[in-house]
Amino acid sequence: AQRVTQPEKLLSVFKGAPVELKCNYSYSGSPELFWYVQYSRQRLQLLLRHISRESIKGFTADLNKGETSFHLKKPFAQEEDSAMYYCALQDDEKLTFGTGTRLTIIP
Amino acid sequence: DVKVTQSSRYLVKRTGEKVFLECVQDMDHENMFWYRQDPGLGLRLIYFSYDVKMKEKGDIPEGYSVSREKKERFSLILESASTNQTSMYLCASSLPRGGHGYTFGSGTRLTVV
């Protein structure tokens, strides 16, 4: 069965420092992976998809099939990055989410 | 430009009540989903639907049922509410196979007392 693991429930980073949110997955097929973000008092929204290989709000994520990882990275954290982040795996018609990481940027 | 609308932001219900949570989307999406969101547990899929009158159980369907009579509307039903169903409920919709990702509603925070 598919599984998504986000090992860090909480992560605090100083403004201007690099950010890395970890995501590991287990899946027997070819994975399609996503990062979703939920800012305070806002709805959950798509941040980026691995297939588009784009950078959104300075964030990037590379799929590493050897390590079964899809870590989210940003070189310089900003205060507005404080939010809840979820990694998700597409399995046929549905998404399986990780348990989330709450990122706090310290001014 | 709200695209997925959940009818209630907050609900308080009594144990044993039958509870209806409504979700409407205006994007003509085939797929619709109900998740519950709990701290430390992330989002867990309750039910989903990939077409009108079609439904599939997710990971935690016990105590819930759903209805999809029209493409734009997907209802979650708690047959007999219990305190362990106190949670944030999120509705989402998508094109087939996730398309360009899910679009989520703003959520309904249900408290069962």
Side-chain angles (χ1 to χ4, degrees):
Chain A
Q2 70 277 9
R3 186 178 178 87
V4 177
T5 302
Q6 294 180 251
E8 304 139 328
K9 285 190 176 180
L10 303 170
L11 182 64
S12 295
V13 173
F14 284 100
K15 178 182 174 181
V19 176
E20 183 178 52
L21 289 85
K22 291 183 168 52
C23 173
N24 290 89
Y25 67 92
S26 62
Y27 188 61
S28 56
S30 183
E32 292 182 48
L33 288 149
F34 302 79
W35 277 98
Y36 281 79
V37 61
Q38 189 169 31
Y39 301 102
S40 180
R41 298 188 184 86
Q42 294 187 28
R43 61 185 68 199
L44 195 61
Q45 59 188 284
L46 177 66
L47 181 60
L48 56 80
R49 304 175 289 162
H50 94 271
I51 56 173
S52 60
R53 302 186 65 81
E54 57 196 345
S55 174
I56 304 293
K57 299 186 179 183
F59 284 99
T60 58
D62 290 319
L63 177 61
N64 186 322
K65 291 186 178 181
E67 297 182 357
T68 60
S69 68
F70 187 57
H71 303 329
L72 184 68
K73 299 178 183 179
K74 184 170 182 176
F76 307 103
Q78 298 173 288
E79 289 185 62
E80 55 265 33
D81 297 329
S82 292
M84 192 74 178
Y85 291 81
Y86 292 97
C87 183
L89 171 70
Q90 182 84 38
D91 176 26
D92 199 10
E93 298 292 342
K94 60 183 183 179
L95 280 179
T96 297
F97 287 84
T99 51
T101 298
R102 182 167 297 281
L103 175 65
T104 301
I105 306 303
I106 304 165
Chain B
D1 65 339
V2 174
K3 297 185 170 101
V4 178
T5 303
Q6 294 184 232
S7 55
S8 303
R9 188 74 177 100
Y10 298 96
L11 275 179
V12 180
K13 297 291 182 181
R14 295 192 180 279
T15 301
E17 277 193 76
K18 191 169 185 176
V19 182
F20 293 85
L21 303 183
E22 306 289 345
C23 176
V24 177
Q25 53 99 0
D26 64 0
M27 296 169 289
D28 202 34
H29 282 170
E30 284 79 2
N31 295 347
M32 295 188 75
F33 308 84
W34 277 105
Y35 285 84
R36 61 178 284 176
Q37 182 183 29
D38 299 289
L41 297 177
L43 277 75
R44 293 179 292 165
L45 182 63
I46 303 171
Y47 267 97
F48 66 103
S49 168
Y50 52 88
D51 201 354
V52 176
K53 297 191 185 295
M54 305 299 289
K55 60 184 179 182
E56 294 283 342
K57 291 181 179 179
D59 300 316
I60 52 164
E62 297 79 17
Y64 303 94
S65 62
V66 290
S67 172
R68 193 165 182 202
E69 297 295 320
K70 295 183 178 181
K71 189 175 184 179
E72 67 270 19
R73 186 181 295 271
F74 192 36
S75 303
L76 180 69
I77 304 155
L78 285 68
E79 298 290 343
S80 178
S82 63
T83 54
N84 63 11
Q85 293 177 310
T86 292
S87 185
M88 173 67 86
Y89 289 87
L90 299 181
C91 176
S93 69
S94 79
L95 293 169
R97 283 203 54 78
H100 297 285
Y102 284 16
T103 300
F104 280 88
S106 56
T108 296
R109 183 166 294 282
L110 173 67
T111 302
V112 182
V113 298

